[in-house]
């Protein structure tokens, strides 16, 4: 990617950026609050979500909700709170109106009565699409800095 | 909160988001720089600020300034620098023009000659109002992930 | 700096903020991805970059690229990934169209197979200028919270 190409892809409007930032804030707060069904609804019905610890991407809202509900229950039983934090959000609008996003993602983990901790440093690559006026995640690919 | 309700409350303009982000950046840099009076002036005169370690909210600029000035002096004596860091800022405009904000707040703490540290992971809920053309914090409620 | 003065300097448009945030996201992702020449091209040809561990500022793209390429090679040899993270970005437009920025900068460092770590807490002061339609760093001054 040359600097010229980057410049050309940087034509993301302030409105789009504001919308993406609001989307991620609400999206992650739903997850961290344990509002798993509402969180799953911020993906398209046929969304895929790949992580380095699973051999195949998760597919669809039901599978996403099931997986993250399990994690939420386990963390609650251990008295642990997680905070997912996106930053350095680079947005690349596609001609069809979808948005490619590449950003950094931190996960903080704090046990009740314990010290706050940095749990993960990740890179998150999303394809966001607009359906019914709202942004939704259509495809997510997460890598972890501690894993190949 | 249903997805539909979230969508309805997401009508925050790019101008509002830009203003909120600039506000928080200046607000926290004033605090971390020890410019306590200028920091206190970013609250309304009758602002309340509740934290989990105090039985009652702090009230008003004088009380806020007194409390944070004490902390600032103590940290300076220990050679410790704090950085307050807001992120995942979800903004919900109210009909009266005020802004409800729910965001994550990190506090980093670094001793001169020491290692940087993650001091706190918090959630910050603000009610921001506009007075004389500027945003001000009218009500702040902070929770800590390590406390009930 | 009085509150009134702050208010006057806060007239940064949403478009400018969106552009600065996209710029920093791409800028830091280039560095962390090891795309050093493309990263160096996000500085002006005569840019200066001062850090507390060097007696003189680095000057110009070639010197910046040389220095950061060396770091990149060393980190790769150790299996370490770095992530540079800007936040609390306060933007102050100058009459000539340049942008003074003061923000916080975190550096995360993670070894393959190891635990993620907070490596540095810094303050970054930039002067951004527009050349050929793109923002570029003309002057950068970084301080570290652990150093005087």
């Amino acid at each position: 990617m040359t600097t010229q190409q980057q410049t050309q892809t940087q034509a993301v409007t302030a409105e789009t950026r504001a919308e993406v930032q609001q989307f991620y804030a609400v999206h992650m707060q739903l997850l961290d609050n344990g509002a798993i069904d509402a969180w799953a609804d911020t993906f398209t019905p046929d969304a895929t979500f790949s992580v380095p610890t699973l051999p195949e991407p998760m597919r669809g809202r039901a599978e996403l909700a099931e997986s993250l509900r399990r994690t939420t229950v386990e963390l609650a039983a251990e008295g642990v709170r997680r905070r997912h934090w996106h930053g350095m959000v680079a947005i690349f609008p596609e001609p069809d109106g979808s948005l490619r996003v590449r950003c950094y993602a931190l996960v903080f983990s704090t046990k009740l009565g314990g010290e706050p901790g940095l749990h993960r440093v990740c890179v998150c690559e999303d394809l966001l699409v607009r359906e019914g006026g709202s942004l939704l995640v259509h495809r997510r690919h997460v890598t972890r800095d501690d894993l190949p």
Side-chain angles (χ1 to χ4, degrees), chain A:
Chain A
M1 187 164 67
T2 68
T3 302
Q4 183 58 28
Q5 284 169 328
Q6 290 157 34
T7 304
Q8 289 173 347
T9 58
Q10 283 173 25
V12 49
T13 65
E15 292 299 335
T16 296
R17 173 162 290 275
E19 190 179 3
V20 169
Q21 291 189 246
Q22 180 81 2
F23 174 77
Y24 279 137
V26 170
H27 172 73
M28 290 307 191
Q29 292 188 23
L30 287 172
L31 175 61
D32 297 333
N33 288 347
I36 300 301
D37 288 325
W39 173 78
D41 284 348
T42 60
F43 291 84
T44 63
D46 58 341
T48 58
F49 186 152
S50 74
V51 294
T53 49
L54 292 176
E56 293 290 325
M58 295 178 277
R59 285 178 190 278
R61 290 172 174 169
E63 188 177 338
L64 285 167
E66 186 194 342
S67 173
L68 273 295
R69 201 186 316 278
R70 202 164 45 228
T71 302
T72 298
V73 168
E74 290 170 0
L75 292 172
E78 299 168 17
V80 169
R81 285 175 178 146
R82 291 265 171 86
R83 302 291 172 193
H84 290 77
W85 191 293
H86 274 195
M88 305 309 279
V89 177
I91 304 169
F92 305 98
E94 294 289 319
D96 66 359
S98 64
L99 303 170
R100 282 190 308 111
V101 177
R102 187 177 191 273
C103 66
Y104 294 164
L106 305 175
V107 187
F108 296 97
S109 197
T110 306
K111 192 160 183 168
L112 199 62
E115 295 298 313
L118 174 65
H119 182 62
R120 297 276 184 253
V121 177
C122 303
V123 174
C124 178
E125 291 175 292
D126 275 351
L127 184 68
L128 304 180
V129 297
R130 199 179 304 278
E131 290 192 6
S134 297
L135 290 178
L136 298 172
V137 181
H138 181 56
R139 193 176 64 230
R140 170 165 292 173
H141 178 67
V142 173
T143 56
R144 275 169 46 183
D145 276 9
D146 60 315
L147 295 180

